[in-house]
Amino acid sequence: MAKKQFNAKAELNDPVLSKEQTTKIVKQFWQHTQNWNYKILNPIFQGVFGLATIVLTTRGKVEGMQNLPNCPSAFITGNHYNQFDVLMIKKLAMKKKKRLYAVVAASNLEMPHLIGWIVRNFDSLPIDCDMHYLSHIFPQYLKKT
């Protein structure tokens, strides 16, 4: 935090993409979400993620739900980076009977092997640094979501 690098990569060996590569990957992702294989795999991933959340968070408690506003959707983020935090956020979503979408850096779509495959077939909402995408295209996908 002292270096003020709030958007620095948290994972080692994350793909580094040019602006053109990022734009292409994001466009391909949104096209992919319309394919039959995504429509089959996505509900399976939702179920597996829900089951994993139940199994892996048995000792974790969600407290303070009475302080949450009664609204149709929300953005939730952790105050630090930890892959397991998403399990507790999923647990909260399950308690509220809400579907959880993950806003991900576009480069996560290009992660190798199993991780990239999961990100591409999960409820991901990719973002990148392109101002046109962030101000015009991404809000349209948020509205549909």
Side-chain angles (χ1 to χ4, degrees):
M1 197 154 108
K3 293 181 181 181
K4 306 277 189 226
Q5 296 177 337
F6 300 113
N7 64 339
K9 294 282 188 179
E11 290 289 327
L12 300 175
N13 304 317
D14 268 1
V16 178
L17 307 171
S18 70
K19 182 178 178 181
E20 294 78 21
Q21 289 171 311
T22 301
T23 300
K24 181 181 176 185
I25 288 162
V26 170
K27 186 176 180 179
Q28 287 174 336
F29 170 78
W30 290 118
Q31 290 170 344
H32 170 67
T33 63
Q34 302 306 307
N35 293 340
W36 65 269
N37 55 341
Y38 176 87
K39 292 178 181 183
I40 291 170
L41 289 173
N42 180 268
I44 294 169
F45 282 12
Q46 288 178 43
V48 169
F49 187 39
L51 183 60
T53 299
I54 292 167
V55 170
L56 297 173
T57 64
T58 55
R59 295 186 339 181
K61 282 182 19 182
V62 175
E63 296 178 345
M65 285 185 51
Q66 69 278 5
N67 298 320
L68 295 175
N70 189 13
C71 60
S73 58
F75 281 94
I76 302 171
T77 185
N79 62 352
H80 62 282
Y81 179 77
N82 184 315
Q83 291 113 339
F84 293 103
D85 287 350
V86 73
L87 292 173
M88 291 307 294
I89 294 170
K90 174 66 174 172
K91 188 171 191 165
L92 169 65
M94 290 168 68
K95 283 184 173 284
K96 294 290 283 182
K97 296 178 176 41
K98 300 289 183 181
R99 188 166 172 180
L100 178 65
Y101 291 83
V103 175
V104 299
S107 61
N108 288 340
L109 298 170
E110 284 296 293
M111 292 291 284
H113 313 298
L114 183 63
I115 293 176
W117 187 66
I118 290 170
V119 172
R120 287 187 299 275
N121 290 287
F122 186 66
D123 288 332
S124 298
L125 301 170
I127 58 171
D128 69 30
C129 296
D130 179 70
M131 288 309 293
H132 176 74
Y133 175 78
L134 290 175
S135 62
H136 293 90
I137 299 168
F138 185 69
Q140 292 173 10
Y141 285 112
L142 282 179
K143 193 173 186 176
K144 278 201 297 191
T145 301

